[in-house]
Amino acid sequence: MKFSLGLGQDQILVNVGDNFFNLKSDAVTVRGEYEKKQNETWLYQLGFDNTYSNAKVNLKLPRPKGEGGVNDPISSSEVKSLNTTEKVNATGLYFRNEVQVLDSTLIPSIRYDRFRSTKENLLSPRLGLRKYYTPSLLLKFATGIYY
């Protein structure tokens, strides 16, 4: 069983004159993974991750006002301000396989995510393929649903 801990921060700031949008998010992620090699051609992983983040949003934008059929979002419109903090918690579980097929590796997997702030439960199937053409040339392909 392997465990990891990640700390991170995202920040987006857009300033246009007196108007602005500022998002700052601090995140902590905990991950655990169990890996087992069933035989020479099949390896699987069972894992979980949990992300907790605290996001702060500050914005000051004009409220669009239309006169005479023309919208002008900047000029003399009323200005709206917002300052809010949101705590977000997301939990994920996944089952990932690596199956050797001839000279390639097929990677089917499935992931379940629970977003507590929106009360969403999402299932996302995924499929990957890895193929080495030479020891230094690797082609990777992946498709699926990602959140």
Side-chain angles (χ1 to χ4, degrees):
M1 188 84 169
K2 298 185 268 186
F3 292 98
S4 63
L5 175 71
L7 304 172
Q9 182 181 83
D10 294 319
Q11 187 162 3
I12 300 171
L13 175 62
V14 179
N15 275 325
V16 180
D18 291 334
N19 303 309
F20 61 87
F21 171 81
N22 187 4
L23 166 71
K24 182 179 178 187
S25 176
D26 298 308
V28 175
T29 301
V30 176
R31 172 173 264 196
E33 186 173 85
Y34 171 77
E35 182 175 283
K36 174 140 184 174
K37 188 168 187 171
Q38 279 298 101
N39 55 46
E40 289 303 311
T41 61
W42 179 29
L43 171 86
Y44 73 85
Q45 298 158 334
L46 291 167
F48 74 91
D49 52 50
N50 189 59
T51 301
Y52 174 79
S53 63
N54 187 26
K56 295 178 184 176
V57 176
N58 300 311
L59 65 93
K60 180 179 165 189
L61 297 172
R63 180 179 223 165
K65 176 171 96 174
E67 294 180 17
V70 177
N71 283 329
D72 184 357
I74 302 296
S75 70
S76 61
S77 299
E78 174 188 5
V79 174
K80 289 289 186 177
S81 295
L82 172 73
N83 297 311
T84 186
T85 300
E86 179 76 25
K87 294 181 185 333
V88 179
N89 191 326
T91 303
L93 303 170
Y94 59 91
F95 179 55
R96 182 175 184 267
N97 294 277
E98 292 186 14
V99 181
Q100 299 298 318
V101 180
L102 301 173
D103 60 346
S104 300
T105 305
L106 186 64
I107 308 166
S109 60
I110 189 128
R111 182 176 172 87
Y112 165 80
D113 286 292
R114 166 84 173 136
F115 298 95
R116 292 198 179 123
S117 59
T118 59
K119 296 184 172 86
E120 288 181 287
N121 295 297
L122 303 169
L123 199 59
S124 49
R126 299 171 182 182
L127 180 64
L129 180 70
R130 251 189 337 236
K131 180 170 175 58
Y132 278 97
Y133 286 96
T134 68
S136 61
L137 180 60
L138 169 67
L139 175 67
K140 290 182 180 181
F141 167 80
T143 187
I145 300 172
Y146 296 84
Y147 299 100

